[in-house]
Amino acid sequence: MTSAVRFQKVSRHFGSVRAVDGVDLDVASGEFFAMLGPSGSGKTTCLRLIAGFEQPTAGAIEIFGERADGVPPYRRNVNTVFQDYALFPHLNILDNVAYGLMVKGVGTAERHREADRALELVKLPGYGTRKPAQLSGGQRQRVALARALVNKPKVLLLDEPLGALDLKLREQMQEELKSLQRALGITFVFVTHDQGEALSMADRVAVFNNGGIVQQGTPQEIYRLPKTAFVADFVGSSNLLSPDLMALLGGDRRWASLRPEAVRLAGDGTEATVENVSFLGAATRLAVEMHGTKLHVMLPAGADVPGVGTRVRLAWNRQDIHYMDDAA
Ligand code: ATP
């Protein structure tokens, strides 16, 4: 496996703030890699370290096998798509996209040809003569992408690029980004605090908390086998079962997680009381209380939905109980 980006014990401290603290990372060439975590967990700083806008205070960074120390951003063969797009308002779309090539000294005809091709890639052919203000938010996002792709980077860094789009457009762009990445074979490193986005697009996900990576793995591993309660909770609103509750239910006296969709209503299950019912369209979510613990239960569409205050019985398969290292 060729490494596109490798971090060895990389730290970036700002005074007493440990923005990134001892991170090991290995992104494979051609991989779609997501950095997922809450605000302030260190994702953007990691991205800026790859781009070269930040230097590590400790540790080593390699990009395609070469030490990145002291290599300025424009020599890294890495491009960034920023959340606010950072387009030049006074330049038309074609010149916005061609900007990086102009800086490199590529002649007008060639850079316009390349920019046209990049605009076709992002499904905006013929938009070259417009100004950024004459485009929708989604179209501006595509221009920002074309502007990065025109440089033919080996690694494309994306910092919450879909954050400003509405839900429907975001879902459409998720699918387009994924197929574009597959077609071009470029390594994508994507920063997001939206777990749905990370799970749906990435080949692998690194979950960040407090400047460190708590878990790395495929979306399926992260979702089904969270190592800590933090991961279980952050990646998909899991139910956390305390060691006492687990012992009461006849399991091991350890922290465990149980996905809401793994719980069903069954006549011979454990008694609980329905406290709230939320209709979500494709499913219905119940908030229930069981032995003093609040749980969520996801019922599939079409299931009989009990009313608030009803006593119900809950069951799940033994293999859906996932024990964790700790509750941190
Ligand atoms: P968000 O999703 O909100 O962008 P993030 O996970 O990307 O969050 P970072 O932007 O990497 O987090 O920030 C990590 C921590 O480092 C935060 O506490 C932030 O305040 C701090 N930090 C980042 N850049 C600097 C800086 N230049 N000077 C001082 N502190 C900084």
Side-chain angles (χ1 to χ4, degrees), residues 35-185:
M35 297 183 182
L36 172 68
S39 184
S41 58
K43 314 171 301 281
T44 301
T45 304
C46 274
L47 209 68
R48 293 173 57 79
L49 284 162
I50 301 172
F53 301 132
E54 294 286 353
Q55 294 297 327
T57 33
I61 298 176
E62 285 179 8
I63 298 174
F64 281 96
E66 286 179 20
R67 286 290 290 261
D69 315 45
V71 179
Y74 58 91
R75 290 250 184 82
R76 290 194 177 204
N77 217 342
V78 164
N79 272 92
T80 308
V81 178
F82 298 99
Q83 179 173 7
D84 61 4
Y85 315 145
L87 301 179
F88 300 117
H90 58 288
L91 293 184
N92 70 22
I93 298 307
L94 197 68
D95 285 326
N96 260 288
V97 175
Y99 188 79
L101 298 178
M102 187 191 76
V103 171
K104 285 185 193 158
V106 177
T108 313
E110 187 183 343
R111 67 174 189 259
H112 281 172
R113 203 163 47 237
E114 292 291 329
D116 269 331
R117 204 171 294 158
L119 283 171
E120 265 171 46
L121 269 182
V122 300
K123 302 193 176 156
L124 282 182
Y127 281 72
T129 54
R130 295 209 200 175
K131 292 277 174 63
Q134 295 168 308
L135 298 184
S136 70
Q139 290 167 335
R140 279 201 286 274
Q141 203 282 331
R142 287 163 197 261
V143 174
L145 191 60
R147 195 172 56 165
L149 291 173
V150 81
N151 298 309
K152 301 198 167 66
K154 286 174 95 170
V155 182
L156 189 67
L157 307 176
L158 303 111
D159 192 359
E160 304 254 4
L162 310 182
L165 306 180
D166 65 45
L167 180 64
K168 203 163 169 75
L169 203 52
R170 206 157 68 218
E171 286 175 351
Q172 185 189 338
M173 280 307 293
Q174 286 172 10
E175 289 174 15
E176 284 187 22
L177 267 184
K178 182 72 197 156
S179 43
L180 197 62
Q181 190 265 344
R182 220 180 282 127
L184 298 174

Side-chain angles (χ1 to χ4, degrees), residues 126-298:
Y127 281 72
T129 54
R130 295 209 200 175
K131 292 277 174 63
Q134 295 168 308
L135 298 184
S136 70
Q139 290 167 335
R140 279 201 286 274
Q141 203 282 331
R142 287 163 197 261
V143 174
L145 191 60
R147 195 172 56 165
L149 291 173
V150 81
N151 298 309
K152 301 198 167 66
K154 286 174 95 170
V155 182
L156 189 67
L157 307 176
L158 303 111
D159 192 359
E160 304 254 4
L162 310 182
L165 306 180
D166 65 45
L167 180 64
K168 203 163 169 75
L169 203 52
R170 206 157 68 218
E171 286 175 351
Q172 185 189 338
M173 280 307 293
Q174 286 172 10
E175 289 174 15
E176 284 187 22
L177 267 184
K178 182 72 197 156
S179 43
L180 197 62
Q181 190 265 344
R182 220 180 282 127
L184 298 174
I186 298 175
T187 308
F188 275 30
V189 181
F190 190 98
V191 161
T192 181
H193 60 259
D194 178 337
Q195 85 281 4
E197 201 156 280
L199 295 180
S200 67
M201 283 196 291
D203 298 314
R204 273 190 317 138
V205 179
V207 183
F208 279 72
N209 196 20
N210 294 327
I213 294 177
V214 250
Q215 189 170 356
Q216 294 188 55
T218 64
Q220 291 81 358
E221 284 165 357
I222 299 278
Y223 186 81
R224 299 220 316 265
L225 306 171
K227 276 194 185 150
T228 67
F230 170 79
V231 177
D233 193 42
F234 193 74
V235 184
S237 63
S238 204
N239 292 308
L240 292 181
L241 311 182
S242 69
D244 285 350
L245 178 61
M246 285 311 300
L248 195 70
L249 295 170
D252 295 355
R253 187 176 284 277
R254 289 168 60 197
W255 283 97
S257 73
L258 176 63
R259 296 286 167 197
E261 65 274 21
V263 186
R264 60 184 187 277
L265 304 181
D268 55 352
T270 308
E271 275 215 334
T273 306
V274 177
E275 294 194 327
N276 196 26
V277 176
S278 313
F279 175 64
L280 306 176
T284 300
R285 188 180 61 216
L286 306 182
V288 303
E289 202 238 65
M290 181 181 80
H291 291 306
T293 298
K294 309 265 185 211
L295 300 180
H296 281 133
V297 178
M298 202 67 87

Side-chain angles (χ1 to χ4, degrees), residues 312-325:
V312 291
R313 286 176 176 273
L314 305 179
W316 49 86
N317 295 335
R318 191 185 287 255
Q319 65 266 29
D320 287 322
I321 291 287
H322 170 66
Y323 288 102
M324 295 178 296
D325 291 349

